[in-house]
Amino acid sequence: MLNIKKHQDNDSNVSVNADDSISKVKKLKELLDIGAITKEEFENKKKDILGL
């Protein structure tokens, strides 16, 4: 049973990390939209956040 629980915890962590990444990219997009960062800065930071 411990393995099942651990697997479920890992799935939860992936979801939380994905939600966090999405939130960060959305905030970056807002900065791009208001002209606070350039398209290049947005793309570079997005790649860093998404691990690309």
Side-chain angles (χ1 to χ4, degrees):
M1 282 186 102
L2 182 59
N3 288 339
I4 293 171
K5 174 123 176 76
K6 185 174 182 181
H7 179 41
Q8 289 172 343
D9 287 345
N10 286 341
D11 288 346
S12 295
N13 289 340
V14 170
S15 288
V16 169
N17 289 339
D19 289 343
D20 187 45
S21 294
I22 291 168
S23 178
K24 287 179 180 179
V25 172
K26 283 182 176 181
K27 288 177 184 176
L28 278 176
K29 179 65 167 91
E30 290 175 9
L31 292 173
L32 176 64
D33 290 345
I34 65 170
I37 61 173
T38 65
K39 179 75 171 174
E40 183 179 1
E41 290 169 321
F42 170 77
E43 292 298 332
N44 288 337
K45 189 63 177 169
K46 182 176 77 170
K47 287 178 185 176
D48 288 344
I49 292 169
L50 299 176
L52 302 174

